[in-house]
Amino acid sequence: MQPKCAWIVSAPDACAECALNSDNRPQPSPWLTHLFYLEACQAAGIVFHYEDLTERETRGLVIVKGERNRQEMAKLNKK
């Protein structure tokens, strides 16, 4: 019999140390999590004025938006 990891395609029950275990994926930093939260707020319709966000938050949101656009363009170019 083959070991379990040889045939698992998706592994919700993978071993703790297994690379297929979703708990072992790299987690975003607290700062990136904060930027994703702000981005989700904007997507939900919350409008931030210039004085509502720090310069760092504003620049971070611009970088996140640019990276999402780059990834979308890459996906479109693959098709």
Side-chain angles (χ1 to χ4, degrees):
M1 182 166 154
Q2 292 181 338
K4 193 175 188 180
C5 291
W7 54 268
I8 290 180
V9 174
S10 65
D13 61 342
C15 304
E17 64 278 352
C18 182
L20 297 175
N21 187 333
S22 61
D23 292 338
N24 294 336
R25 287 184 296 189
Q27 298 298 314
S29 69
W31 176 246
L32 191 56
T33 301
H34 176 66
L35 290 177
F36 289 156
Y37 171 75
L38 292 176
E39 183 186 38
C41 288
Q42 284 181 324
I46 295 174
V47 177
F48 294 112
H49 298 285
Y50 288 114
E51 61 273 358
D52 292 340
L53 302 174
T54 65
E55 184 178 344
R56 185 174 180 224
E57 288 171 326
T58 303
R59 288 182 182 191
L61 284 173
V62 168
I63 291 169
V64 167
K65 178 68 173 170
E67 184 60 24
R68 287 205 191 275
N69 288 343
R70 187 188 68 73
Q71 289 178 358
E72 287 296 318
M73 289 301 294
K75 276 186 195 176
L76 290 173
N77 289 335
K78 282 184 178 180
K79 290 182 179 182

